[in-house]
C-alpha cells in the first residue's frame, strides 16, 4: 500500500476508534477489567459480607480466627491483542471484510487501554507467530499498531490458535488481559492451551465472522475456495442435502468453540461483519462489570 493511502487509512481509523473509546466506552472498559490486575496489600480480620474466597488460611490457622487477604487494584494493566492474520480474514460477502472489522475492534481496544493508562501489545499470528509488538504506552505506539493492523502482510495462510496461546503464556510473564481476535476457523486443538492461558492471564475471545459463512445459499453450482489451504471445490448449492450438511458443519463448529470458551471460563463476543461491533463490545463489557 502506498504511504499516502496508508496514512489516510491510519488517520481514518484513529479518528473513528479513538472517538468510540473516548465517548462510548468511557468508564465501561475500566469497570469491565478493573480488579483483573490486583496486587496483594495486607491481611485483616474477616468481616460479615467479605468474600470467603479471599480467606488467608495460613494466617487464619495461626490466629484461630478468620483473616482475609486485602488486594488493591494495580494502577495499570497490560493488555495484549492476539490478532488472527490468516487468509480467511480476507472475506466479506455481507457487510465489511472480516479484516476491516478486526482492525477497528483492535484499534478501539488499544485506544481504550491507553486512555486507562494501560500498556498495549500485539501478537499477529497465522499458523506461526508472524510478529510480536511488546506492550508500551503512548499515541505514537498506538499509531504504529494501527499501521501494522492495516498493512501487515503475513508469511503464512493457516491458523493455529494453540500456538499463539502457548506463545503468549510463555512470553508475557506478568498477568495481563488478552483479547483473542479471530474468526476461529481452525482445527480443534486449542482447548488445553486456552485453559492454561486463562489460568495465568485474563482471556477474552472476540469472534468476527461473515453471515455468508453460516448458511449456503441456493444459487446452483458454485466454486468454493479454502483460502488457508488454497483448495477449490465445486459445490451444488441447489441440493437441500448439501445445504443442510453445510449448516450442520457450521453449527457444530460454532458450538464446539463456544463450549471450549465456556469450559475454560473465557468470555466471548461474536460479531458479524454486517453488525455494529460497538453493541457487541458494550454487551461484553457489561457482562464483565
Amino acid at each position: 500500500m502506498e504511504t499516502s493511502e496508508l496514512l489516510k487509512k491510519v488517520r481514518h481509523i484513529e479518528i473513528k476508534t479513538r472517538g468510540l473509546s473516548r465517548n462510548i466506552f468511557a468508564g465501561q472498559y475500566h469497570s469491565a477489567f478493573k480488579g483483573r490486575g490486583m496486587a496483594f496489600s495486607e491481611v485483616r480480620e474477616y468481616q460479615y459480607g467479605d468474600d470467603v474466597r479471599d480467606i488467608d488460611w495460613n494466617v487464619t490457622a495461626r490466629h484461630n480466627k478468620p483473616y482475609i487477604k486485602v488486594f488493591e487494584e494495580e494502577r495499570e494493566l497490560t493488555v495484549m491483542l492476539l490478532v488472527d492474520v490468516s487468509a480467511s480474514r480476507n472475506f466479506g460477502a455481507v457487510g465489511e471484510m472480516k479484516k476491516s472489522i478486526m482492525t477497528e475492534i483492535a484499534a478501539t481496544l488499544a485506544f481504550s487501554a491507553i486512555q486507562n493508562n494501560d500498556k498495549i501489545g500485539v501478537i499477529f499470528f497465522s499458523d506461526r507467530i508472524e510478529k510480536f509488538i511488546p506492550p508500551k504506552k503512548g499515541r505514537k505506539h498506538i499509531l504504529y499498531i494501527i499501521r501494522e493492523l492495516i498493512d501487515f502482510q503475513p508469511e503464512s495462510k493457516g491458523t493455529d490458535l494453540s500456538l499463539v496461546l502457548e506463545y503468549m503464556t510463555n512470553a508475557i510473564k506478568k498477568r495481563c488481559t488478552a483479547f483473542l481476535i479471530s474468526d476461529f476457523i481452525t482445527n480443534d486443538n486449542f482447548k488445553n492451551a486456552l485453559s492454561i492461558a486463562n489460568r495465568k492471564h485474563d482471556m477474552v475471545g472476540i469472534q468476527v465472522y461473515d453471515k455468508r459463512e453460516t448458511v449456503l445459499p441456493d444459487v446452483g453450482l458454485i466454486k468454493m475456495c479454502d483460502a488457508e489451504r488454497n483448495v477449490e471445490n465445486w459445490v451444488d448449492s441447489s441440493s437441500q442435502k448439501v445445504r443442510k450438511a453445510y449448516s450442520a458443519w457450521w453449527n457444530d463448529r460454532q458450538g464446539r468453540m463456544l463450549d471450549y470458551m465456556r469450559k475454560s471460563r473465557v468470555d466471548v463476543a461474536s460479531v458479524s461483519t454486517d453488525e455494529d461491533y460497538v453493541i457487541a463490545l458494550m454487551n461484553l463489557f457489561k457482562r464483565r462489570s
Side-chain angles (χ1 to χ4, degrees), residues 1-2 6 89 99 146-153:
M1 186 181 297
E2 292 185 4
L6 175 60
R89 69 179 177 149
K99 176 184 175 180
I146 293 175
R147 283 200 304 272
E148 291 298 291
L149 286 167
I150 293 171
D151 203 38
F152 182 78
Q153 300 298 320

Side-chain angles (χ1 to χ4, degrees), residues 250-265:
W250 167 265
N251 292 331
D252 181 62
R253 190 177 64 81
Q254 187 74 355
R256 286 200 307 274
M257 184 274 287
L258 294 174
D259 187 56
Y260 287 178
M261 294 291 181
R262 180 180 57 81
K263 288 180 177 177
S264 300
R265 298 184 178 181

Side-chain angles (χ1 to χ4, degrees), residues 37-42 70-75:
M38 304 294 286
F40 173 72
S41 176
E42 60 182 351
V70 178
F71 296 87
E72 61 182 17
E73 187 179 344
E74 293 180 347
R75 284 194 298 273

